Amino acid sequence: MTSHATARTTRDTIAEKLTALTEADRAELLRLMDFAEGDDLLIDGVQRYLDLATAAKFLNSMKLEERGSWIGSHAPARLQMRLTEAARSSQHPAYLAFRAGLQKSGGLARAFPKA
């Protein structure tokens, strides 16, 4: 655990924050993304969020796409590839919707511009 993440920050709390994505949740996720020490925890939380979405009775693909777009727009370059890998780790529609949002955000293209 980093000094920048609270002692209560876990992959489950990150998944909950992505689910609700209130202004306070956004601020806390942005703080976590500011420091490389929190990268593994953030990616684990994104993976947990997507796993929970696959198990849900109702698939809200618009919400998943919006979450992918938000995190892709705000994540630093060092996280873009890892987020893309997480989104590509399954062909489930939840992952596909999240991946679509990531792609729309253009974060990966900003992180790795074509020469």
Side-chain angles (χ1 to χ4, degrees), residues 14-86:
I14 291 171
E16 291 169 8
K17 290 179 185 319
L18 283 169
T19 300
L21 209 57
T22 65
E23 285 303 315
D25 295 333
R26 291 172 197 248
E28 192 166 336
L29 290 170
L30 289 172
R31 274 193 304 274
L32 185 61
M33 285 189 264
D34 281 343
F35 303 98
E37 298 88 13
D39 289 359
D40 290 338
L41 184 60
L42 182 72
I43 296 299
D44 287 346
V46 167
Q47 194 72 51
R48 179 70 175 144
Y49 169 71
L50 292 170
D51 289 344
L52 291 171
T54 64
K57 290 182 180 183
F58 176 74
L59 179 66
N60 189 339
S61 58
M62 289 177 60
K63 181 177 177 182
L64 285 156
E65 187 173 325
E66 188 274 329
R67 296 314 191 254
S69 182
W70 181 84
I71 202 163
S73 295
H74 292 89
R78 69 175 192 280
L79 282 171
Q80 293 296 335
M81 185 61 73
R82 293 186 69 190
L83 287 167
T84 301
E85 289 171 355

Coordinates of all heavy atoms in Angstrom, one line a residue, residues 14-86:
I14 N -11.9 0.1 -5.3 CA -11.7 0.8 -6.6 C -12.9 0.4 -7.5 O -13.4 1.2 -8.3 CB -10.4 0.4 -7.2 CG1 -9.3 1.1 -6.3 CG2 -10.3 0.8 -8.6 CD1 -7.9 0.7 -6.7
A15 N -13.2 -0.9 -7.5 CA -14.4 -1.4 -8.3 C -15.7 -0.7 -7.9 O -16.4 -0.3 -8.8 CB -14.5 -2.9 -8.2
E16 N -15.9 -0.5 -6.6 CA -17.0 0.3 -6.2 C -17.0 1.7 -6.7 O -18.0 2.3 -7.0 CB -17.1 0.2 -4.6 CG -17.4 -1.1 -4.1 CD -17.2 -1.2 -2.6 OE1 -17.0 -0.1 -1.9 OE2 -17.3 -2.3 -2.0
K17 N -15.8 2.3 -6.6 CA -15.7 3.7 -7.1 C -16.0 3.8 -8.6 O -16.6 4.8 -9.0 CB -14.3 4.3 -6.7 CG -14.1 4.5 -5.2 CD -12.8 5.0 -4.9 CE -12.6 5.1 -3.4 NZ -13.7 5.6 -2.6
L18 N -15.5 2.9 -9.3 CA -15.8 2.9 -10.8 C -17.3 2.7 -11.0 O -17.9 3.2 -12.0 CB -15.0 1.8 -11.5 CG -13.5 2.2 -11.7 CD1 -12.8 0.9 -12.2 CD2 -13.4 3.3 -12.7
T19 N -17.9 1.9 -10.2 CA -19.4 1.6 -10.4 C -20.2 2.9 -10.1 O -21.0 3.3 -10.9 CB -19.8 0.5 -9.4 OG1 -19.1 -0.7 -9.8 CG2 -21.3 0.3 -9.6
A20 N -19.9 3.6 -9.0 CA -20.6 4.8 -8.6 C -20.1 6.0 -9.4 O -20.9 6.8 -9.9 CB -20.5 5.0 -7.1
L21 N -18.8 6.2 -9.4 CA -18.1 7.3 -10.1 C -18.7 8.7 -9.8 O -19.0 9.5 -10.7 CB -18.0 7.1 -11.6 CG -16.8 7.7 -12.3 CD1 -15.5 7.2 -11.7 CD2 -16.8 7.4 -13.8
T22 N -18.9 8.9 -8.5 CA -19.3 10.2 -8.0 C -18.1 11.2 -8.2 O -17.0 10.7 -8.5 CB -19.8 10.2 -6.6 OG1 -18.6 9.8 -5.8 CG2 -20.9 9.2 -6.3
E23 N -18.3 12.4 -7.9 CA -17.2 13.4 -8.0 C -16.1 13.0 -7.0 O -14.9 13.1 -7.3 CB -17.7 14.8 -7.7 CG -18.5 15.4 -8.9 CD -17.6 15.5 -10.2 OE1 -16.4 15.9 -10.1 OE2 -18.1 15.1 -11.2
A24 N -16.5 12.6 -5.8 CA -15.5 12.2 -4.8 C -14.8 11.0 -5.2 O -13.6 10.9 -5.0 CB -16.2 11.9 -3.4
D25 N -15.5 10.0 -5.9 CA -14.8 8.8 -6.4 C -13.8 9.2 -7.5 O -12.7 8.7 -7.5 CB -15.8 7.8 -6.9 CG -16.8 7.3 -5.9 OD1 -16.4 7.2 -4.7 OD2 -17.9 6.9 -6.2
R26 N -14.2 10.1 -8.4 CA -13.4 10.5 -9.5 C -12.1 11.1 -8.9 O -11.0 10.8 -9.3 CB -14.1 11.5 -10.4 CG -15.2 11.0 -11.2 CD -15.9 12.1 -11.9 NE -17.2 11.6 -12.4 CZ -17.5 11.4 -13.6 NH1 -16.7 11.8 -14.6 NH2 -18.7 11.0 -14.0
A27 N -12.3 12.0 -7.9 CA -11.1 12.7 -7.3 C -10.2 11.7 -6.6 O -8.9 11.8 -6.8 CB -11.6 13.7 -6.2
E28 N -10.7 10.7 -6.0 CA -9.8 9.7 -5.3 C -9.1 8.8 -6.4 O -7.9 8.5 -6.2 CB -10.6 8.8 -4.4 CG -9.7 7.9 -3.5 CD -10.4 7.3 -2.3 OE1 -11.5 7.8 -1.9 OE2 -9.9 6.3 -1.8
L29 N -9.8 8.4 -7.4 CA -9.2 7.6 -8.5 C -8.1 8.5 -9.2 O -7.0 7.9 -9.5 CB -10.2 7.2 -9.5 CG -11.2 6.1 -9.0 CD1 -12.3 5.9 -10.0 CD2 -10.4 4.8 -8.7
L30 N -8.3 9.7 -9.4 CA -7.3 10.6 -10.0 C -6.1 10.7 -9.1 O -5.0 10.7 -9.6 CB -7.9 12.0 -10.3 CG -8.9 12.0 -11.5 CD1 -9.6 13.4 -11.5 CD2 -8.3 11.7 -12.8
R31 N -6.3 10.8 -7.8 CA -5.2 10.9 -6.9 C -4.4 9.6 -7.0 O -3.1 9.6 -6.9 CB -5.7 11.1 -5.4 CG -5.8 12.6 -5.1 CD -6.0 12.8 -3.6 NE -7.1 12.0 -3.0 CZ -8.4 12.4 -3.0 NH1 -8.7 13.6 -3.5 NH2 -9.3 11.7 -2.5
L32 N -5.1 8.5 -7.0 CA -4.4 7.2 -7.1 C -3.6 7.1 -8.4 O -2.4 6.6 -8.4 CB -5.4 6.0 -7.0 CG -4.9 4.6 -7.0 CD1 -4.0 4.4 -5.8 CD2 -6.0 3.6 -7.0
M33 N -4.1 7.6 -9.5 CA -3.4 7.6 -10.8 C -2.2 8.5 -10.8 O -1.3 8.3 -11.7 CB -4.3 7.9 -11.9 CG -5.3 6.8 -12.3 SD -6.2 7.2 -13.8 CE -7.7 7.9 -13.1
D34 N -2.1 9.4 -9.9 CA -1.0 10.4 -9.9 C 0.3 9.7 -9.5 O 1.4 10.2 -9.8 CB -1.2 11.5 -8.9 CG -2.2 12.6 -9.5 OD1 -2.4 12.6 -10.7 OD2 -2.7 13.4 -8.6
F35 N 0.3 8.6 -8.9 CA 1.5 7.9 -8.4 C 1.6 6.5 -8.9 O 0.7 5.7 -8.7 CB 1.4 7.9 -6.8 CG 1.3 9.3 -6.3 CD1 0.1 9.8 -5.9 CD2 2.4 10.1 -6.2 CE1 -0.1 11.1 -5.4 CE2 2.3 11.4 -5.7 CZ 1.1 11.9 -5.3
A36 N 2.7 6.2 -9.5 CA 3.0 4.9 -10.1 C 2.8 3.7 -9.1 O 2.5 2.6 -9.5 CB 4.3 4.8 -10.7
E37 N 3.0 4.0 -7.8 CA 2.9 3.0 -6.8 C 1.5 2.4 -6.7 O 1.3 1.3 -6.2 CB 3.3 3.5 -5.4 CG 4.7 4.0 -5.3 CD 4.9 5.5 -5.7 OE1 3.9 6.2 -5.8 OE2 6.0 5.9 -5.9
G38 N 0.5 3.1 -7.1 CA -0.9 2.6 -7.1 C -1.3 1.9 -8.4 O -2.5 1.5 -8.5
D39 N -0.4 1.8 -9.4 CA -0.8 1.3 -10.7 C -1.4 -0.2 -10.6 O -2.4 -0.5 -11.1 CB 0.3 1.3 -11.7 CG 0.7 2.7 -12.1 OD1 0.0 3.7 -11.7 OD2 1.6 2.8 -12.9
D40 N -0.7 -1.0 -9.8 CA -1.1 -2.4 -9.7 C -2.5 -2.5 -9.1 O -3.3 -3.2 -9.5 CB -0.1 -3.3 -9.0 CG 1.2 -3.5 -9.7 OD1 1.2 -3.4 -11.0 OD2 2.2 -3.8 -9.1
L41 N -2.7 -1.7 -8.0 CA -3.9 -1.7 -7.3 C -5.0 -1.2 -8.2 O -6.1 -1.8 -8.2 CB -3.8 -0.8 -6.1 CG -5.0 -0.8 -5.1 CD1 -5.4 -2.1 -4.6 CD2 -4.8 0.2 -4.0
L42 N -4.8 -0.2 -9.0 CA -5.8 0.4 -9.9 C -6.2 -0.6 -11.0 O -7.4 -0.8 -11.2 CB -5.3 1.7 -10.5 CG -6.3 2.3 -11.5 CD1 -7.4 3.0 -10.7 CD2 -5.6 3.4 -12.3
I43 N -5.2 -1.3 -11.6 CA -5.5 -2.3 -12.6 C -6.2 -3.4 -12.0 O -7.2 -3.9 -12.6 CB -4.2 -2.7 -13.3 CG1 -3.5 -1.6 -14.0 CG2 -4.4 -3.9 -14.2 CD1 -4.4 -1.0 -15.1
D44 N -5.9 -3.9 -10.8 CA -6.6 -4.9 -10.1 C -8.1 -4.5 -9.9 O -9.0 -5.3 -10.0 CB -6.0 -5.3 -8.8 CG -4.7 -6.1 -8.9 OD1 -4.4 -6.6 -10.1 OD2 -4.0 -6.2 -7.9
G45 N -8.3 -3.2 -9.5 CA -9.6 -2.7 -9.3 C -10.4 -2.7 -10.6 O -11.6 -3.0 -10.6
V46 N -9.8 -2.3 -11.7 CA -10.5 -2.3 -13.0 C -10.9 -3.7 -13.3 O -12.0 -3.9 -13.8 CB -9.6 -1.6 -14.0 CG1 -10.2 -1.8 -15.4 CG2 -9.4 -0.1 -13.8
Q47 N -9.9 -4.6 -13.2 CA -10.2 -6.0 -13.5 C -11.4 -6.5 -12.6 O -12.3 -7.2 -13.1 CB -9.0 -6.9 -13.2 CG -9.1 -8.2 -13.8 CD -9.0 -8.2 -15.4 OE1 -8.1 -7.6 -15.9 NE2 -9.9 -8.8 -16.0
R48 N -11.4 -6.2 -11.4 CA -12.5 -6.6 -10.5 C -13.8 -6.0 -10.9 O -14.9 -6.6 -11.0 CB -12.2 -6.2 -9.0 CG -13.3 -6.5 -8.0 CD -13.3 -8.0 -7.8 NE -14.3 -8.3 -6.7 CZ -15.1 -9.3 -6.7 NH1 -15.0 -10.2 -7.7 NH2 -15.9 -9.5 -5.8
Y49 N -13.8 -4.7 -11.3 CA -15.0 -4.0 -11.8 C -15.6 -4.7 -13.0 O -16.8 -5.0 -13.1 CB -14.6 -2.6 -12.2 CG -15.7 -1.8 -12.9 CD1 -16.9 -1.4 -12.3 CD2 -15.5 -1.5 -14.3 CE1 -17.9 -0.7 -13.0 CE2 -16.5 -0.8 -15.0 CZ -17.6 -0.4 -14.4 OH -18.6 0.2 -15.1
L50 N -14.7 -5.1 -14.0 CA -15.1 -5.8 -15.2 C -15.6 -7.2 -14.8 O -16.6 -7.7 -15.4 CB -14.0 -5.9 -16.2 CG -13.6 -4.5 -16.8 CD1 -12.3 -4.6 -17.6 CD2 -14.7 -3.9 -17.6
D51 N -15.0 -7.9 -13.9 CA -15.4 -9.2 -13.5 C -16.8 -9.2 -12.9 O -17.7 -10.0 -13.1 CB -14.4 -9.9 -12.5 CG -13.1 -10.3 -13.2 OD1 -13.1 -10.4 -14.4 OD2 -12.2 -10.5 -12.5
L52 N -17.0 -8.2 -12.0 CA -18.4 -8.0 -11.4 C -19.4 -7.7 -12.5 O -20.6 -8.2 -12.4 CB -18.3 -6.9 -10.4 CG -17.6 -7.2 -9.1 CD1 -17.4 -6.0 -8.2 CD2 -18.2 -8.3 -8.3
A53 N -19.0 -6.9 -13.5 CA -20.0 -6.6 -14.6 C -20.4 -7.8 -15.4 O -21.5 -7.9 -15.8 CB -19.4 -5.5 -15.5
T54 N -19.4 -8.7 -15.5 CA -19.8 -10.0 -16.3 C -20.7 -10.9 -15.5 O -21.5 -11.6 -16.1 CB -18.5 -10.8 -16.6 OG1 -17.9 -11.2 -15.4 CG2 -17.5 -10.0 -17.5
A55 N -20.7 -10.8 -14.2 CA -21.6 -11.6 -13.3 C -22.9 -11.0 -13.1 O -23.8 -11.6 -12.5 CB -20.9 -11.9 -12.0
A56 N -23.1 -9.7 -13.4 CA -24.4 -9.0 -13.2 C -25.5 -9.6 -14.0 O -25.3 -10.0 -15.1 CB -24.2 -7.5 -13.5
K57 N -26.7 -9.5 -13.5 CA -27.9 -10.0 -14.2 C -28.2 -9.0 -15.4 O -28.7 -9.5 -16.4 CB -29.1 -10.0 -13.3 CG -29.0 -11.1 -12.2 CD -30.2 -11.2 -11.4 CE -30.1 -12.3 -10.4 NZ -31.3 -12.4 -9.6
F58 N -27.9 -7.8 -15.2 CA -28.2 -6.8 -16.3 C -26.9 -6.2 -16.7 O -26.1 -5.7 -15.9 CB -29.1 -5.7 -15.7 CG -29.4 -4.6 -16.7 CD1 -30.2 -4.8 -17.8 CD2 -28.8 -3.4 -16.6 CE1 -30.4 -3.8 -18.7 CE2 -29.0 -2.3 -17.5 CZ -29.9 -2.6 -18.5
L59 N -26.6 -6.2 -18.0 CA -25.4 -5.6 -18.6 C -25.7 -4.2 -19.0 O -26.4 -4.0 -20.0 CB -24.8 -6.5 -19.7 CG -23.6 -5.9 -20.4 CD1 -22.4 -6.0 -19.4 CD2 -23.3 -6.7 -21.6
N60 N -25.1 -3.2 -18.4 CA -25.3 -1.8 -18.8 C -24.1 -1.4 -19.6 O -23.1 -0.8 -19.1 CB -25.4 -0.9 -17.5 CG -25.8 0.5 -17.9 OD1 -25.7 0.9 -19.0 ND2 -26.4 1.2 -16.9
S61 N -24.1 -1.7 -20.9 CA -23.0 -1.5 -21.8 C -22.7 0.0 -21.9 O -21.5 0.4 -22.1 CB -23.2 -2.1 -23.1 OG -24.3 -1.7 -23.8
M62 N -23.7 0.9 -21.9 CA -23.5 2.3 -22.0 C -22.7 2.8 -20.8 O -21.8 3.6 -20.9 CB -24.8 3.1 -22.1 CG -25.5 2.9 -23.4 SD -27.1 3.7 -23.5 CE -26.7 5.4 -23.3
K63 N -23.0 2.3 -19.6 CA -22.2 2.7 -18.4 C -20.8 2.2 -18.5 O -19.9 2.9 -18.1 CB -22.9 2.1 -17.2 CG -22.3 2.5 -15.9 CD -23.1 2.0 -14.7 CE -22.4 2.3 -13.4 NZ -23.2 1.7 -12.2
L64 N -20.6 0.9 -18.9 CA -19.3 0.4 -19.0 C -18.5 1.2 -20.1 O -17.3 1.4 -19.8 CB -19.4 -1.1 -19.4 CG -19.8 -2.0 -18.3 CD1 -20.4 -3.3 -18.9 CD2 -18.6 -2.4 -17.5
E65 N -19.1 1.5 -21.1 CA -18.4 2.3 -22.2 C -18.0 3.7 -21.6 O -16.9 4.2 -21.8 CB -19.2 2.5 -23.4 CG -18.5 3.1 -24.6 CD -19.3 3.1 -25.8 OE1 -20.0 2.2 -26.1 OE2 -19.1 4.1 -26.6
E66 N -18.9 4.3 -20.9 CA -18.6 5.6 -20.3 C -17.5 5.5 -19.3 O -16.6 6.4 -19.2 CB -19.9 6.1 -19.6 CG -19.7 7.6 -19.1 CD -19.1 7.7 -17.7 OE1 -19.3 6.8 -16.9 OE2 -18.4 8.7 -17.5
R67 N -17.4 4.4 -18.5 CA -16.3 4.2 -17.5 C -15.0 4.1 -18.2 O -14.0 4.6 -17.8 CB -16.6 3.1 -16.6 CG -17.8 3.2 -15.7 CD -17.9 4.5 -15.0 NE -18.9 4.5 -13.9 CZ -20.1 5.1 -14.0 NH1 -20.5 5.7 -15.1 NH2 -20.9 5.1 -13.0
G68 N -15.0 3.3 -19.3 CA -13.8 3.1 -20.1 C -13.3 4.4 -20.7 O -12.1 4.7 -20.7
S69 N -14.2 5.2 -21.2 CA -13.9 6.5 -21.7 C -13.3 7.4 -20.7 O -12.3 8.1 -20.9 CB -15.1 7.1 -22.4 OG -14.8 8.3 -23.0
W70 N -14.0 7.5 -19.5 CA -13.5 8.3 -18.4 C -12.1 8.0 -18.0 O -11.2 8.8 -17.9 CB -14.4 8.3 -17.2 CG -14.0 9.2 -16.1 CD1 -14.2 10.6 -16.0 CD2 -13.1 8.9 -15.1 NE1 -13.5 11.1 -15.0 CE2 -12.9 10.1 -14.3 CE3 -12.5 7.7 -14.6 CZ2 -12.1 10.1 -13.2 CZ3 -11.7 7.8 -13.5 CH2 -11.5 9.0 -12.8
I71 N -11.9 6.7 -17.7 CA -10.5 6.3 -17.2 C -9.5 6.5 -18.3 O -8.4 6.9 -18.1 CB -10.6 4.9 -16.6 CG1 -9.4 4.7 -15.6 CG2 -10.6 3.8 -17.6 CD1 -9.5 3.6 -14.7
G72 N -9.9 6.2 -19.6 CA -8.9 6.3 -20.7 C -8.6 7.8 -20.9 O -7.4 8.1 -21.2
S73 N -9.5 8.7 -20.6 CA -9.2 10.1 -20.8 C -8.4 10.7 -19.7 O -7.7 11.7 -19.9 CB -10.6 10.9 -20.8 OG -11.3 10.6 -21.9
H74 N -8.4 10.1 -18.5 CA -7.7 10.6 -17.3 C -6.5 9.9 -16.9 O -5.6 10.4 -16.2 CB -8.7 10.7 -16.2 CG -9.8 11.7 -16.4 ND1 -11.0 11.4 -17.0 CD2 -9.8 13.0 -16.1 CE1 -11.7 12.5 -17.1 NE2 -11.0 13.5 -16.6
A75 N -6.3 8.6 -17.4 CA -5.2 7.8 -17.0 C -3.9 8.4 -17.6 O -3.9 8.7 -18.8 CB -5.4 6.4 -17.3
P76 N -2.8 8.4 -16.9 CA -1.5 8.8 -17.5 C -1.0 7.8 -18.5 O -1.5 6.6 -18.5 CB -0.6 8.9 -16.3 CG -1.2 8.0 -15.2 CD -2.7 8.0 -15.5
A77 N -0.1 8.2 -19.3 CA 0.4 7.4 -20.4 C 0.9 6.0 -19.9 O 0.7 5.0 -20.6 CB 1.5 8.1 -21.1
R78 N 1.5 6.0 -18.7 CA 2.1 4.7 -18.2 C 1.0 3.7 -18.0 O 1.3 2.5 -17.9 CB 2.9 5.0 -17.0 CG 2.1 5.4 -15.8 CD 2.9 5.5 -14.5 NE 2.0 5.6 -13.4 CZ 1.4 6.7 -13.0 NH1 1.6 7.8 -13.6 NH2 0.5 6.7 -12.0
L79 N -0.2 4.1 -17.8 CA -1.3 3.1 -17.5 C -2.1 2.7 -18.8 O -2.8 1.7 -18.7 CB -2.3 3.7 -16.5 CG -1.9 3.7 -15.1 CD1 -2.8 4.5 -14.2 CD2 -1.8 2.3 -14.6
Q80 N -2.0 3.4 -19.9 CA -2.8 3.2 -21.0 C -2.7 1.8 -21.6 O -3.7 1.1 -21.9 CB -2.5 4.2 -22.1 CG -2.9 5.6 -21.7 CD -4.4 5.8 -21.5 OE1 -5.2 5.1 -22.1 NE2 -4.8 6.8 -20.8
M81 N -1.5 1.3 -21.7 CA -1.3 -0.1 -22.3 C -1.9 -1.1 -21.3 O -2.5 -2.1 -21.7 CB 0.2 -0.4 -22.5 CG 0.4 -1.7 -23.2 SD -0.4 -1.9 -24.8 CE 0.7 -0.8 -25.8
R82 N -1.7 -0.9 -20.0 CA -2.2 -1.9 -19.0 C -3.7 -1.9 -19.0 O -4.3 -2.9 -18.9 CB -1.6 -1.6 -17.7 CG -0.1 -1.9 -17.6 CD 0.5 -1.7 -16.3 NE 0.0 -2.8 -15.4 CZ 0.2 -2.8 -14.1 NH1 0.8 -1.8 -13.5 NH2 -0.3 -3.8 -13.4
L83 N -4.3 -0.7 -19.2 CA -5.8 -0.7 -19.2 C -6.3 -1.4 -20.5 O -7.3 -2.1 -20.4 CB -6.3 0.8 -19.2 CG -6.1 1.5 -17.9 CD1 -6.3 3.0 -18.1 CD2 -7.1 1.0 -16.9
T84 N -5.6 -1.2 -21.6 CA -6.0 -1.8 -22.8 C -5.9 -3.3 -22.7 O -6.8 -4.1 -23.1 CB -5.2 -1.3 -24.0 OG1 -5.4 0.2 -24.1 CG2 -5.6 -1.9 -25.3
E85 N -4.8 -3.8 -22.1 CA -4.6 -5.2 -21.9 C -5.7 -5.8 -21.0 O -6.2 -6.9 -21.3 CB -3.2 -5.5 -21.3 CG -2.1 -5.3 -22.3 CD -0.7 -5.3 -21.6 OE1 -0.7 -5.5 -20.3 OE2 0.3 -5.3 -22.3
A86 N -6.1 -5.1 -20.0 CA -7.2 -5.5 -19.1 C -8.5 -5.6 -19.8 O -9.2 -6.6 -19.7 CB -7.3 -4.6 -17.9

